Amino acid sequence: MSEIAKKKDPLFGPRDMKLIKTPFSKENPIIVQVLGICSALAVTVKLQPAVVMALSVTVVVMMSNVIISLLRNTIPPRIRIIVQLVIVSFLVIIVDQVLRAFVYDASKQLSVYVGLIITNCIVMGRLEAFAMSNKPWPSLMDGLGNGLGYGIILIIIGFVRELFGSGTLWDIRIMPEGYIPNGLMVMPAMALVLLGIIIWIHRSRNKDLLEKE
C-alpha cells in the first residue's frame, strides 16, 4: 500500500471546517433557512437565557446527529421519524435536567422552550438532511456548525435587547446612571424587528443568495 493510500483525512480537515463555517453565513439556519424562529424570538429578552438556549440546541443537534448516523443503516424507513423523535426527546430531557441542576435561574427563564427543542426544525432537519446519509464524524461537525450558527443569532439579538432594554448585560449594569431603558426592546415584536434587520444586512452583503432564489 502506498504512503498516500495509508494517509487518513485529518480531523478538522477542509471538509470539516466547511461544515462548521457554512452555517454561520451562507446556510445559517435562522436567517437563510428560516428555521428555529420561534425560540429565537422567545428567549432573547436577556443575554443569559439566549446563550443557554444556544448551547442547549447545539448539544442536542450534535449528539442526535451522531446517534442517528450510527444507527442510520439499522433504522427501518417507515419509523425513522419516530426513532429520531425518541432520541431527541431523550437528549432534551437530559439537557433540561442538567440546566435545572446547574443553572436553575436560566432554566426557569427558558421555561417550556427547552422542552420545545424536541420540535425544533433545525434538529429534525439536520437528522433528515445530513445524519441519515453521512458518517458520525461529519454528522458531529454538521451539528456543531448548525448549532453555533443558530446560537450566534440568538446571542446577537439577546445582547442588543438586554443592553438597550434593561441597560445590563448578564444582569450586570452597563449603561451609565440616568439611562432610561427602552421599553420597546423587551417587547416580543422587537425581536422580530431585530431579526429582520439582521436578515436585511446579511442579504445585502450576500447578494448571491438572492440570485440563487
Side-chain angles (χ1 to χ4, degrees):
M1 187 181 292
S2 66
E3 290 297 321
I4 296 177
K6 288 181 182 178
K7 290 183 179 179
K8 295 181 179 179
D9 291 335
L11 294 179
F12 298 105
R15 187 194 177 197
D16 298 330
M17 295 309 298
K18 183 178 179 181
L19 289 172
I20 294 173
K21 291 178 180 179
T22 302
F24 274 80
S25 181
K26 292 186 177 181
E27 294 181 13
N28 186 277
I30 293 182
I31 61 177
V32 177
Q33 301 178 44
V34 197
L35 301 175
I37 294 291
C38 294
S39 59
L41 303 182
V43 302
T44 54
V45 176
K46 297 272 188 175
L47 182 59
Q48 184 183 18
V51 171
V52 173
M53 187 65 168
L55 292 174
S56 299
V57 171
T58 301
V59 169
V60 170
V61 73
M62 286 174 65
M63 297 310 300
S64 59
N65 261 17
V66 171
I67 295 172
I68 290 297
S69 177
L70 289 169
L71 300 176
R72 69 188 188 282
N73 294 324
T74 62
I75 301 174
R78 289 184 181 180
I79 62 169
R80 73 183 191 285
I81 300 297
I82 297 174
V83 173
Q84 291 171 9
L85 284 172
V86 169
I87 291 171
V88 173
S89 300
F90 174 72
L91 292 171
V92 169
I93 290 171
I94 293 177
V95 167
D96 185 44
Q97 293 304 308
V98 170
L99 293 180
R100 288 173 183 270
F102 295 101
V103 282
Y104 182 73
D105 290 340
S107 174
K108 208 171 176 184
Q109 291 180 58
L110 290 173
S111 183
V112 299
Y113 294 105
V114 174
L116 290 177
I117 294 175
I118 297 169
T119 59
N120 194 308
C121 299
I122 297 170
V123 179
M124 298 303 295
R126 297 325 299 167
L127 295 181
E128 279 288 290
F130 198 91
M132 285 295 292
S133 56
N134 287 275
K135 293 181 179 180
W137 179 255
S139 297
L140 180 68
M141 295 297 99
D142 178 78
L144 176 62
N146 279 275
L148 294 177
Y150 165 86
I152 193 66
I153 302 302
L154 261 67
I155 291 169
I156 291 171
I157 296 175
F159 179 93
V160 174
R161 292 183 73 190
E162 182 176 359
L163 180 62
F164 295 103
S166 302
T168 62
L169 285 176
W170 214 275
D171 292 326
I172 298 172
R173 171 64 57 181
I174 299 297
M175 290 299 193
E177 290 294 331
Y179 173 76
I180 301 175
N182 187 334
L184 288 174
M185 283 293 177
V186 298
M187 296 179 66
M190 200 60 197
L192 189 60
V193 172
L194 289 173
L195 181 59
I197 293 172
I198 293 172
I199 293 174
W200 173 66
I201 293 173
H202 180 265
R203 293 296 180 92
S204 65
R205 294 173 63 89
N206 298 273
K207 294 183 180 179
D208 56 315
L209 293 177
L210 295 175
E211 292 174 1
K212 289 181 180 179
E213 294 177 358

